[in-house]
Amino acid sequence: ARLVAVGDWVAVRNTPEATEIRAVLARQSAITREAPGRETAAQVIAANVDLVFIATSADSDFNLRRIERLLTVAYQSGAVPVIVLTKVDINNPDAFEAELETVAAGVPVVAVSGRTGAGIEAVRLHLSRGKTAVLVGSSGVGKSTLINRLLGQEVLRTSDVHKGGQGRHTTSHRQLLKVPGGGLVIDTPGLREIQLWAGAEALAEVFLDIEELALRCRFTDCRHETEPDCTVVAALEGGTLDPSRFASYRKLQRELRAIEVKADVRLQIEERRKWKLIHRSVKAHTQIKRRLG
């Protein structure tokens, strides 16, 4: 049976003794990552999500490489990403928004302050009636405070901000909350190093600039290292492509490729196991027939 995730729609049967889940409806979208452990399998963090609010704070925790990773996760899910820049009461958001434009062109950015409430209504406008959003981001960026502001009451526990401006992680489990106005929001534990899952095409959404450069290379299988007329190498040498952004692109590429390889190996093992069971069953059946005959 399929495990139920936060955000799933289910058919239930109520009895005086208990409430029983009878069926899980097909998912329209899902935030998925590689499950912990040796087995290569998907773990659904949140299901039937329309929006992915990517929370990042306007302080020393701001990290473009992490945002690229979370954008990839959002596009893999089939949901629409929205970047929520928190703690703008601490620092002027202009410089942070300019940096976000270099990695997330076209993605809406909303600057908010959980302390003053600035920008909360702009976030609420994205979360219209009937829509479900999931809030992701590293620990301490103010996700619980933001949700409390959206709900209009202190539903989630928050911690004081450290002297350096850093918050402390408070959410320990995922939960679905109803926002006044009809929307729903899923709160998640801090996901600093969220693992990707299958779906390499999502990289084209996040790294469109690099993908377009690669299309202009002389060779279709260009590795963007030493090949002649490589437009990616030319952009790196000319300073129009940030080397750290390209390194992030290659790192995520390698992660997704490794997942695909592990998944292929797993399928091969399962296939061999299935045929071993079939051969064993046929052999046992043949031995029984011989004894009876």
Side-chain angles (χ1 to χ4, degrees), residues 206-225:
V206 182
F207 297 94
L208 183 61
D209 53 338
I210 298 177
E211 294 278 339
E212 288 181 342
L213 283 171
L215 286 175
R216 298 203 295 270
C217 288
R218 178 193 291 185
F219 305 107
T220 55
D221 59 347
C222 184
R223 292 174 299 175
H224 316 306
E225 294 173 355

Side-chain angles (χ1 to χ4, degrees), residues 36-53:
R38 295 184 178 181
E39 288 288 331
T40 305
Q43 179 187 31
V44 176
I45 300 171
N48 299 312
V49 173
D50 300 294
L51 299 165
V52 178
F53 287 144

Side-chain angles (χ1 to χ4, degrees), residues 15 21 28 37 75 96 159 186 218 220 225 273:
T15 66
I21 294 177
Q28 302 303 309
Y75 284 122
F96 296 94
S159 293
I186 297 173
R218 178 193 291 185
T220 55
E225 294 173 355
R273 187 179 299 153

Side-chain angles (χ1 to χ4, degrees), residues 81-204:
V82 176
I83 297 174
V84 182
L85 182 63
T86 64
K87 303 184 182 181
V88 297
D89 54 291
I90 298 175
N91 291 306
N92 187 311
D94 293 349
F96 296 94
E97 290 178 344
E99 286 196 66
L100 286 170
E101 184 65 24
T102 66
V103 302
V107 177
V109 177
V110 184
V112 304
S113 168
R115 188 177 66 83
T116 67
I120 298 300
E121 287 307 312
V123 176
R124 200 189 302 275
L125 285 175
H126 285 282
L127 192 58
S128 57
R129 180 177 296 275
K131 286 191 175 182
T132 299
V134 63
L135 189 60
V136 299
S138 62
S139 302
V141 297
K143 298 191 300 295
S144 296
T145 301
L146 174 61
I147 288 179
N148 284 338
R149 282 284 187 177
L150 286 171
L151 299 178
Q153 55 183 313
E154 295 291 317
V155 173
L156 302 181
R157 184 171 62 87
T158 60
S159 293
D160 294 333
V161 174
H162 189 267
K163 291 179 182 179
Q166 295 285 20
R168 294 183 177 87
H169 171 56
T170 52
T171 301
S172 59
H173 62 281
R174 290 178 284 277
Q175 55 188 317
L176 183 68
L177 301 160
K178 187 176 180 181
V179 178
L184 299 167
V185 64
I186 297 173
D187 186 29
T188 65
L191 298 172
R192 182 176 295 275
E193 291 298 333
I194 185 170
Q195 295 297 313
L196 304 180
W197 186 239
E201 64 278 358
L203 285 183

